Structures are given as C-alpha cells and as structure tokens.
Amino acid sequence: MRKYSGKTRVIKKYSLNSMTPFSSYNLSTRIKYILVSILLFLTYAPCFPQETSCLRYIDPTIGNVAPLLNSNRPVVHLPNQMTRVFPIRQDYLDDQITAFPLSALNVITPQHIFAVKPSTGNLTDTCWNRRMTYDYDFEKNQPWYYSTCLYEDDVTVEFTAGKKTGIYRFTFPKGVRKNLLLTHNYENGIYGVNQNNEVTGTEFVVDAHHNQEGKAYMYGVLSGKPQSGKAAGEKNWGKYTVLGPQPVPSRMNGERAWFSYDADSPNVIEFRYAISFISCEQAKENFLKELNSVTFDELKEKGRLEWERAIGQIKVEGGTEAQKRTFYTALYRSYVRMVDISEYGKYYSGYDKAVHTDSKPFYTDDYSWGNFPAMHPLRIILNPQRESEMLDSYVAMYEQSGWMPDYPKHFGDREGMFGFHSSIMFLDAYRKGVRNYNVEKALEGMMKSAEQATMLPSRNGVKGPLEDFYHEKGYYPALRPGETEDDPVASGRRGQGRSAVAITQAHSYDDWAISELAKELGKETAYKKYAPKAGNYKNLWHEPTGLFLPKDKDGNWIEINPMFEGRNYYNENNGWSYLWHVQHDIAGLINLMGGKDSFDKRLDEFFRIPLQSTKHAFWNRFPDMTGMIGQFSMGNQLIYFVPYLYNFTASPWKTQKWTRFILDVLFKDNIFGVPGDEDAGALSSFVVFTAMGFYPVQPGTPLYAITSPVFEKVSIALHNGKTFTIIAHNASKTNKYIQSATLNGKPLQTPWFSHDELVNGGILQFEMGEKPGTLW
C-alpha cells in the first residue's frame, strides 16, 4: 500500500515468471497490443518531452558554489543579449530566494536591476522583506528557461527570456489572494502604475563608491484585473537582501509597486516586461517588438531554438556523459559576454552619455584582461561577424570617450586590472581575418592608452610620474616593504598596490601587440617605436632566483619572498605565477631560462613545488589562487596557458598529461565543478578549447597549440559553411597520449596548426595510446 495524492492505491506485484509470454498470443491479439502501445505512446509521449540535442547536456548549476570567491550563476538569456536573469540568492547552497530580477548588469558580482516577487494572503509590510524558501529538487535550470517551486506558499515561478524582454509566469494555489511585488535594487528608484495593468520603472544605478552611473528603465504588463498601487518611497520596507557574498542591510528604499488579485481570480498570472537604457517609452517599444502576440511557450521555444543554433555549432562524439555535461555547459557560459544593448536602431552609450541612432549592434560588458586569452579567440572561430561587431563597439567607445576601454560596462569603462589587453584582442582578430571595423582608429586608441593613460590597476585616467618613469627606464618602480606611497596617482586606489612586476610584464605584451599591428598596417615608425618595448619584461629578470622580481626607482633589487608577495609587486597571483607571464615572447623566456631543457625542468618544478605554508595562510594572501597543482593555479585567468608551454620543449606529451588531468580533476559536472573565478565565460572558454584538443596559447599569433582531445570526434561548423573535424582514434581516459597526427591526410610535423588551416576546414586526426609518444 502506498499513499499517493491523498488517496490509497493498491500496487500489485508481478514477477516475470508469472506473466504470459507475448509470443503465446495469436496474431490478431498481438497486432491489437502493438496498435494500443503505439496509440498510448503517441498520446502520452508529448507529456514527457526529452531534449535529444546537445542542449540536454547543459547544466547551468555547475560551479554554482565557488571555492572562495565568485560563484557561477544559472543565467537565463539568449546568446550575447541584454536580458540576463537568475534568482537573487547567495549561491546554490542558499535555500532562500530574495527576489527575481528583471535583468543583471553584471553576472559575476551580481548587479541586478528591478526585481519581482510573489506572495499570498493579505499584503503586509513583512511581504516585502520575507525571503522565499525553495526546494532544489523542484528547480529547473536551462539557458532559455527557469522554474522553481516556492513551497511555503505553493507558488511555481517560471521565466523565459527574449533579447530585451522577459516573461515571468506565476502559478498560485487556487482560492488564495495573490500578490506581485516590484522592488528596486538601488536607492531612489521609481515606479509608475496605471489602471491598464501597466507599470513603468526607473532604476538609478550607482557604482561601488555610490556615485550614480546611469539609469535603467522598464515597461511591463500584468495579466488579469489586479488592484494596484505603490508603497511609500521614504519607508525602508526591507530588512535584508542578498546583494553580495554576505547579507547586508537593504539599499532598496525606492518606490515599490504592488499588484493584488482576489482569491477567486485565475491562479496563473503573467508579468511580461521589457528593459531599456534609453527611456520607459523605448522599453515599451522593445516590448511591442518582441512580446506582442507572443505566448510564454512560444518565447520559450524561440529561446530553445536560438540556443540550439549556437550550441549545435560544435558536436562531439565519445567521452563520458559527465565530460559532455562539463563541455557543453562551458560552451553555454562562453556566450554570457559581451551583450548587445542596442534597441532596434538606437542605443544609449555610457561613454558620451548620449543616445545614438545606428543600425549596427552595440556591445558592452567585457573584461579584456580575463577574456582576451580564450573567450574572444573562441568567438573568432564560431562567430567572427559578432566578434567584429564587438570590436567595432570598442572603437565607438574610444571615439565617444577619448579612451580605449578595457573593462567596458553599460555606463562606461570600469576601473579594472592592469594592462591594456584590448590591444591584444585587436591584433589577434586582425591576424585571423576579422577586420570589419576601423582598424586605424583602433590602433590610434591603443597608442593613446600606452602613452597617456595610467597603468595602475583599479584606476582610469591620465598617466602620472610612475608612467613617465616606466617609459624612460623600461620597468615600473616598486616600493620597498614599509615604504610610504608618495605618488599622487597611485595613492588612494582600492588596495591593489603598484603591482610593479605585473604591470611591467603586461605592458610588454601590450606594446608588442601595438608594434605588430602597426607593422601589419605599414606604420613603420610606430612599429620601430614599440617593438623594443616588448622586451621590457627582461629588465626585471633576476638571474640568481630565476624569477621576475621588483626593482626600486634607483634600479636596486627589492628582496622579497615571491611565493608570498602579492599586490605590491604582482597581482592576485604570486611570483611563481608571474614567472610565465610573458605570453608574447615564449622564445625569449626560454632563452632567459637557459634553453629548452631548463625550461622543461622549470615547468616540472612549477607543477610540483608545494605551498610551503598552510592553505589557510596562503589563501588569506591569495584568495584568487584556487585549483592549485603545485604553484599552478587553474582558478585565475593569468596562467591558463602554462600547461601548453611543454609544446615548446621536447616533451609535448606533458601538455597532454596535464591538460587531461586538469579537466578530469578540477572540472566536474556538479555545483563545485569550477575551480575558481569563472569571470563569466573566461574559464569556460579554456575548457571548451582544451576539451577539443587545442588552445590559442599566444593570442596575437594565429596559431593553436595541440593537446589531447577528450572526445573521439569533434566537429566545428564554421561560418563559411565548412567544417573542421578532430578525430582522436582510440581516445579514452588512459589512451591520452598522441602517437601520430595528420592534417588532411598529411603528417603533422609540429604540435600546433594555423588559424587558416582551421577556417579552411579539414580533418585533424590523432592516433592515441597509453604511453607518452615521441612525436614532436
């Protein structure tokens, strides 16, 4: 006996021995049974839809709990589009949801705009601040659709996204009073409510220093015939909300809007809305463009098809189910940045604070420091037209603001990490044939940043005395331990320190990119000016330790323990990480270390040397350095490429060994499955490349380093109608070493291939085995 839906149900038990064999029935009876079975299948199969494409492998909850810092979020959105939604909660382990946003400006450290939440019963003050308990097992996460059950009130919440729009569908229990509450995530927000079930809103977005950045707008329509009103803006209705890693006092003091339905009203309520960065009127236009006469299920299906087109570009065979889940989820995450904020022929730019009329898309939200290594190179392969549009947006931002951005956000360039790595993105794209933007203007902006902007992390604006010193001496001067900061530009920044070694290395790479692009464009004077600067990193090479160490303004070495020194000299990672931070000149680094054999041994040491402290003490200094193997940290973008450096030695098999190990051990298909700071697609793009068996180890050079593919076959559908296929014969967990390789039937003599060879289509084949091969 089993209780089921409040009724008693008797379940009879059968054994195989007691059942009549099908073959014992006569022909007519057997035909009858077959026809009935077909009828039952056709009747009930639609009730149990099964995703049969590669979309079924995507799990947005993978990595939703971070080792230390920022967690992944189960973002619902269309590829590279404006509306991005996920529940407002601390992380996946938080069993309560604060509210459901209308969009997010930032998906790393969540920065939401507007929010909605349901409640039942009479509308009281406590409805506004009450967090909603949900059950993990009744939550469904897909790139285009989200649903959950708020079981204390028995309310089902569903969401699906358009480009600038979204639809929430709330299913309440029958016979109860139903409420929808609209809130703000910033102070002083306002709502407008009319009698036609319409609502408009304005969000006044502020930065980390509480300075107003810009405005976001919304227009929405609710189903049914609710009563409506607004809550007084001067009253703080909320006690707590989750806006960061810890619950903090609520800042949501703006106007609140409410909509209330009688107990006998329909139990399903839809809230359909659009967002804008131009005006409420434009939000309404966006609404009419996307949601007019479109049902929830139709918008949901459109989203699924959009993701099918994007994710289906890469098809894999072989590997385990877990590896496919990790791979396709990583591919999905590679589409969360940048986002197109153009609104049907118009866009608001935070770079000149003006509305522009333009038929071209305008993209923003990027971290060039974290995304130049893999995300932008991946997009060049999969969607070069979109990458071109994004770079064109960078050029437009430069023309509008006077500075080439490196951390472009919705309302301007964010103060970010060190370096001007958008320069590398432009060079890499140009050399791979992506040139449909004003390249001359891009080079102009790159050179202005290199010559006139501050190099300090977490600062934007004009240069100071430290930059003048760098340009004259060829290295960034560091302070000695305990020495007081006296530079007017460097003082007051947000705890980043001078990061002197990191800055010297990063700008060596940037200056190399400028010199190389200048050479491509025939700018001989600029090429000759910047090419020598590409070697500035050598000025901090300390021969006795075989590491890069800081110097003071007098050119004297500063004695430090590079394993434990952070932002005063390096940044986010220690000196062992920055030993390899010379991607643009690997040959030069090999020469500094005394040749390929010494380079190979140094790499071995890097992957083996222990922390030499407790984990607590180490991570107290370096919370970004998670996912560690020896001194290698997979949890931070700085050194993703290091496992591939063995391809520049006589031991390419070690690249194959370590990349397989990293994917097998550090990337799992569960909520803890990402080893560090994902940065909205940066780390995921590394996973996509590495699982396929190649990686852009040196962005700016159109070559891909080869490693051991996870799958037996990978097919990449290219924009030009061709297909690039990778076949790894006999690939398995143990058959991970490449024994031989051919490209289009010809023996491959090097552990890399060119971008042209990829985009021209063809077949790259490997014979795999259990023992390290002597190939290459």
Side-chain angles (χ1 to χ4, degrees):
M1 306 274 285
R2 181 182 300 168
K3 285 287 185 179
Y4 181 77
S5 300
K7 297 180 181 179
T8 300
R9 187 175 165 202
V10 177
I11 300 177
K12 296 178 67 175
K13 294 184 178 180
Y14 294 92
S15 70
L16 289 175
N17 293 331
S18 66
M19 298 179 69
T20 303
F22 184 73
S23 60
S24 66
Y25 294 110
N26 60 39
L27 179 60
S28 63
T29 303
R30 277 185 279 175
I31 292 174
K32 185 187 302 181
Y33 273 114
I34 291 171
L35 292 174
V36 170
S37 298
I38 293 173
L39 180 62
L40 288 171
F41 174 79
L42 293 175
T43 302
Y44 291 104
C47 300
F48 304 98
Q50 296 293 319
E51 185 61 64
T52 58
S53 72
C54 50
L55 295 179
R56 70 186 185 276
Y57 294 113
I58 298 175
D59 182 357
T61 68
I62 290 176
N64 278 195
V65 179
L68 288 177
L69 298 177
N70 300 317
S71 296
N72 276 341
R73 307 288 172 173
V75 187
V76 179
H77 66 113
L78 299 182
N80 302 113
Q81 293 300 327
M82 198 159 85
T83 297
R84 299 180 294 185
V85 164
F86 49 93
I88 303 176
R89 60 189 178 202
Q90 189 169 343
D91 60 24
Y92 192 75
L93 299 181
D94 185 356
D95 76 331
Q96 290 187 312
I97 294 170
T98 301
F100 299 94
L102 271 57
S103 193
L105 304 181
N106 189 338
V107 300
I108 304 172
T109 51
Q111 189 180 10
H112 304 289
I113 51 173
F114 309 105
V116 62
K117 63 190 302 184
S119 73
T120 58
N122 294 328
L123 184 59
T124 64
D125 288 3
T126 57
C127 294
W128 296 99
N129 67 1
R130 174 173 171 257
R131 300 192 73 214
M132 301 168 288
T133 304
Y134 72 100
D135 190 315
Y136 306 98
D137 295 326
F138 294 94
E139 186 176 66
K140 186 170 185 177
N141 291 276
Q142 294 174 314
W144 61 92
Y145 172 75
Y146 171 84
S147 70
T148 192
C149 180
L150 309 175
Y151 63 80
E152 289 182 340
D153 286 337
D154 193 21
V155 176
T156 298
V157 181
E158 298 173 273
F159 175 79
T160 192
K163 293 179 178 179
K164 327 291 175 190
T165 59
I167 304 177
Y168 277 102
R169 184 163 66 186
F170 301 91
T171 303
F172 291 83
K174 294 181 179 180
V176 300
R177 190 168 183 82
K178 299 163 280 290
N179 310 299
L180 289 184
L181 314 177
L182 270 66
T183 62
H184 291 280
N185 286 308
Y186 296 92
E187 296 177 359
N188 304 319
I190 57 176
Y191 281 113
V193 177
N194 67 24
Q195 299 305 310
N196 297 320
N197 299 6
E198 295 177 318
V199 57
T200 58
T202 304
E203 189 89 272
F204 298 92
V205 180
V206 299
D207 62 18
H209 308 290
H210 300 285
N211 300 314
Q212 184 172 324
E213 288 188 322
K215 299 176 185 178
Y217 306 91
M218 62 80 59
Y219 169 84
V221 176
L222 292 95
S223 63
K225 298 180 179 180
Q227 301 170 3
S228 60
K230 295 193 294 184
E234 69 273 7
K235 183 172 182 179
N236 183 358
W237 295 88
K239 289 184 178 181
Y240 291 97
T241 185
V242 176
L243 294 173
Q246 297 294 331
V248 295
S250 174
R251 297 184 302 181
M252 300 194 295
N253 298 337
E255 285 184 331
R256 312 298 182 84
W258 56 267
F259 298 85
S260 189
Y261 296 78
D262 294 334
D264 57 356
S265 62
N267 66 315
V268 177
I269 299 173
E270 281 192 358
F271 173 48
R272 306 155 69 85
Y273 69 89
I275 56 175
S276 172
F277 297 107
I278 297 174
S279 65
C280 291
E281 292 76 18
Q282 182 62 46
K284 185 173 182 178
E285 283 193 39
N286 298 343
F287 181 99
L288 295 174
K289 289 277 188 183
E290 294 189 22
L291 298 185
N292 195 29
S293 301
V294 175
T295 68
F296 182 98
D297 291 327
E298 287 171 344
L299 188 64
K300 176 182 172 183
E301 178 61 12
K302 283 184 178 180
R304 190 192 69 79
L305 292 174
E306 188 74 19
W307 278 108
E308 178 68 64
R309 283 189 288 270
I311 300 299
Q313 228 180 315
I314 304 179
K315 290 186 166 52
V316 301
E317 298 176 21
T320 66
E321 292 293 293
Q323 287 170 332
K324 290 175 182 175
R325 281 166 49 80
T326 296
F327 175 79
Y328 280 115
T329 301
L331 183 56
Y332 141 76
R333 292 204 181 281
S334 301
Y335 283 95
V336 76
R337 279 181 167 166
M338 301 169 70
V339 293
D340 178 9
I341 63 169
S342 56
E343 304 179 38
Y344 300 101
K346 302 177 187 176
Y347 70 89
Y348 172 82
S349 172
Y351 295 83
D352 60 1
K353 312 302 180 187
V355 176
H356 296 259
T357 300
D358 197 333
S359 60
K360 297 183 295 185
F362 184 78
Y363 288 86
T364 189
D365 189 22
D366 200 10
Y367 281 12
S368 68
W369 187 83
N371 294 339
F372 89 88
M375 182 189 285
H376 282 275
L378 180 62
R379 190 179 298 112
I380 288 173
I381 295 172
L382 297 179
N383 196 332
Q385 176 61 33
R386 183 171 289 170
E387 179 68 14
S388 177
E389 292 166 350
M390 291 177 179
L391 294 177
D392 188 59
S393 298
Y394 266 84
V395 174
M397 294 174 203
Y398 165 62
E399 292 176 318
Q400 293 161 6
S401 69
W403 294 104
M404 181 65 74
D406 271 281
Y407 280 62
K409 306 297 288 181
H410 292 72
F411 301 114
D413 194 27
R414 175 183 176 270
E415 300 170 347
M417 296 289 286
F418 53 89
F420 306 126
H421 288 345
S422 55
S423 300
I424 305 166
M425 288 158 40
F426 279 111
L427 174 65
D428 194 51
Y430 186 88
R431 283 183 161 170
K432 292 174 180 175
V434 178
R435 303 175 181 180
N436 191 23
Y437 52 89
N438 191 334
V439 183
E440 301 268 352
K441 184 63 69 172
L443 179 62
E444 176 188 299
M446 292 157 60
M447 293 172 63
K448 180 179 179 181
S449 293
E451 296 174 10
Q452 301 181 34
T454 178
M455 298 177 177
L456 288 162
S458 294
R459 303 289 285 185
N460 278 349
V462 298
K463 67 177 182 175
L466 293 176
E467 284 71 37
D468 291 334
F469 183 99
Y470 174 85
H471 292 307
E472 179 183 352
K473 302 293 186 180
Y475 70 92
Y476 214 73
L479 297 173
R480 292 187 170 276
E483 189 176 353
T484 302
E485 180 61 74
D486 59 358
D487 182 88
V489 180
S491 60
R493 67 210 168 280
R494 296 176 295 172
Q496 288 279 6
R498 287 193 183 183
S499 305
V501 176
I503 285 176
T504 301
Q505 292 177 322
H507 287 279
S508 298
Y509 196 170
D510 295 339
D511 288 341
W512 172 81
I514 293 173
S515 70
E516 293 294 300
L517 185 57
K519 182 169 66 173
E520 293 279 358
L521 298 179
K523 311 287 186 182
E524 190 68 16
T525 301
Y527 167 69
K528 290 181 177 179
K529 177 179 180 179
Y530 282 94
K533 295 174 179 286
N536 280 348
Y537 72 92
K538 297 175 184 177
N539 294 326
L540 297 183
W541 176 253
H542 187 250
E543 186 68 35
T545 60
L547 294 164
F548 292 100
L549 297 184
K551 287 180 179 178
D552 64 17
K553 63 181 184 299
D554 298 319
N556 299 313
W557 294 107
I558 299 175
E559 295 183 5
I560 61 171
N561 183 341
M563 187 176 289
F564 296 104
E565 289 295 343
R567 287 179 170 172
N568 286 328
Y569 309 109
Y570 307 105
N571 196 298
E572 291 192 353
N573 290 43
N574 66 12
W576 275 89
S577 294
Y578 282 88
L579 170 60
W580 314 101
H581 194 223
V582 192
Q583 273 175 274
H584 68 290
D585 190 12
I586 296 170
L589 183 61
I590 291 172
N591 186 57
L592 286 178
M593 292 188 186
K596 290 186 177 181
D597 288 345
S598 298
F599 188 74
D600 188 299
K601 291 175 183 177
R602 197 64 157 162
L603 281 167
D604 289 344
E605 183 182 13
F606 180 62
F607 281 100
R608 292 168 181 165
I609 191 168
L611 291 182
Q612 299 181 5
S613 74
T614 64
K615 289 183 179 180
H616 174 270
F618 187 86
W619 281 330
N620 187 51
R621 283 178 173 265
F622 299 105
D624 299 272
M625 289 187 67
T626 51
M628 294 194 69
I629 304 169
Q631 290 298 304
F632 172 75
S633 168
M634 192 66 243
N636 197 257
Q637 301 94 322
L638 183 76
I639 50 176
Y640 291 169
F641 66 96
V642 171
Y644 287 90
L645 293 182
Y646 284 109
N647 277 5
F648 295 83
T649 74
S651 309
W653 65 268
K654 294 179 183 177
T655 287
Q656 298 155 35
K657 165 192 168 181
W658 282 119
T659 57
R660 276 292 196 97
F661 182 82
I662 287 165
L663 292 185
D664 286 348
V665 173
L666 298 181
F667 292 92
K668 297 293 186 181
D669 61 331
N670 58 45
I671 62 168
F672 304 106
V674 176
D677 193 353
E678 155 68 0
D679 262 0
L683 189 52
S684 287
S685 300
F686 166 89
V687 173
V688 173
F689 269 119
T690 301
M692 291 192 296
F694 63 100
Y695 187 74
V697 70
Q698 191 182 53
T701 301
L703 294 173
Y704 300 102
I706 289 171
T707 191
S708 174
V710 167
F711 305 105
E712 294 175 24
K713 184 177 180 180
V714 178
S715 300
I716 307 172
L718 301 171
H719 66 287
N720 56 12
K722 298 180 181 180
T723 301
F724 187 73
T725 303
I726 302 165
I727 299 173
H729 297 289
N730 302 315
S732 68
K733 183 175 178 59
T734 53
N735 286 345
K736 59 188 174 185
Y737 295 111
I738 298 173
Q739 309 297 307
S740 64
T742 62
L743 181 59
N744 295 327
K746 297 179 180 180
L748 192 62
Q749 304 297 337
T750 60
W752 52 78
F753 58 91
S754 73
H755 182 74
D756 282 346
E757 288 171 324
L758 188 154
V759 297
N760 286 333
I763 301 176
L764 176 61
Q765 295 195 70
F766 302 118
E767 293 294 336
M768 310 299 294
E770 291 186 345
K771 295 182 179 181
T774 58
L775 182 68
W776 304 319

